């Protein structure tokens, strides 16, 4: 008789532990989803700021396109509505050949001026397409924000 009582207690403990583990996994998964949604909202906030700054000519289009391109790569691929931002990726890719930050500081003044001229020419050549892509992107950010919430 005592062994039945011990067996029932052990069975109760095992069932309780299993239910506790399931609840723990469910809460951890839910927290991961919340954290991921928060990160996506932060990325979308940054994209909104960059788009607004680019459209108001507060930032160089080459720098903004590089940052926008990186941020877009951090978002999930299935966001709807789809939007064509190839011009932003193209400018970011084309600007990858230019030196930045510390590497730029190590260049001579003549080399920096030459890169600046080439970068400005590139920005001017791609400006209409980049501006149109930025406007399209700015138009869907609110929809995307709802989708990731």
């Amino acid at each position: 008789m005592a062994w039945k009582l011990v067996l029932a207690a052990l069975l109760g403990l095992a069932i309780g532990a299993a239910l506790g583990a399931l609840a723990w996994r469910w809460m951890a998964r839910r927290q991961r989803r919340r954290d991921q949604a928060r990160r996506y909202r932060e990325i979308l906030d940054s994209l909104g700021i960059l788009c607004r700054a680019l459209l108001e000519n507060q930032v160089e289009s080459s720098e903004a396109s590089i940052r926008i391109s990186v941020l877009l790569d951090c978002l999930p691929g299935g966001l709807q509505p789809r939007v064509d931002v190839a011009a932003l990726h193209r400018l970011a890719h084309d600007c990858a050949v230019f030196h930045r930050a510390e590497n730029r500081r190590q260049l001579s003044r003549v080399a920096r001026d030459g890169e600046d001229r080439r970068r400005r020419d590139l920005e001017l050549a791609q400006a209409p397409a980049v501006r149109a892509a930025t406007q399209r992107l700015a138009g869907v950010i609110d929809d995307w924000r709802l989708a990731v919430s």
Side-chain angles (χ1 to χ4, degrees):
M1 183 69 161
W3 65 273
K4 288 182 182 180
L5 189 59
V6 170
L7 185 62
L10 290 175
L11 186 60
L13 285 173
I15 291 172
L19 289 175
L22 286 174
W24 184 266
R25 285 179 48 199
W26 176 78
M27 288 188 319
R29 189 173 348 168
R30 189 171 161 205
Q31 184 63 39
R32 276 194 306 272
R33 273 193 235 122
R34 261 191 252 143
D35 290 345
Q36 187 177 38
R38 181 185 45 76
R39 280 192 303 274
Y40 288 157
R41 282 191 306 273
E42 289 171 356
I43 291 169
L44 289 169
D45 290 343
S46 295
L47 278 172
I49 292 167
L50 280 168
C51 287
R52 193 170 42 253
L54 182 57
L55 291 172
E56 294 174 358
N57 296 319
Q58 295 177 356
V59 64
E60 294 175 348
S61 61
S62 58
E63 183 66 27
S65 67
I66 291 168
R67 293 174 187 269
I68 289 171
S69 181
V70 169
L71 289 172
L72 286 172
D73 289 341
C74 296
L75 291 172
L79 288 176
Q80 295 292 332
R82 308 283 296 167
V83 64
D84 180 17
V85 292
L88 290 165
H89 287 296
R90 187 172 26 260
L91 181 58
H93 180 266
D94 292 346
C95 289
V97 298
F98 300 123
H99 292 86
R100 296 177 64 195
E102 188 61 36
N103 293 334
R104 180 175 164 75
R105 287 186 203 103
Q106 294 174 359
L107 293 176
S108 69
R109 179 78 172 162
V110 173
R112 277 195 313 265
D113 290 344
E115 275 196 358
D116 287 345
R117 259 191 264 64
R118 289 194 310 273
R119 184 183 42 77
R120 256 181 269 131
D121 292 343
L122 189 62
E123 286 178 357
L124 287 174
Q126 297 185 20
V130 168
R131 187 169 186 79
T134 304
Q135 288 172 333
R136 287 190 299 270
L137 178 60
V140 299
I141 287 177
D142 288 334
D143 295 333
W144 287 359
R145 191 172 282 117
L146 291 174
V148 299
S149 293

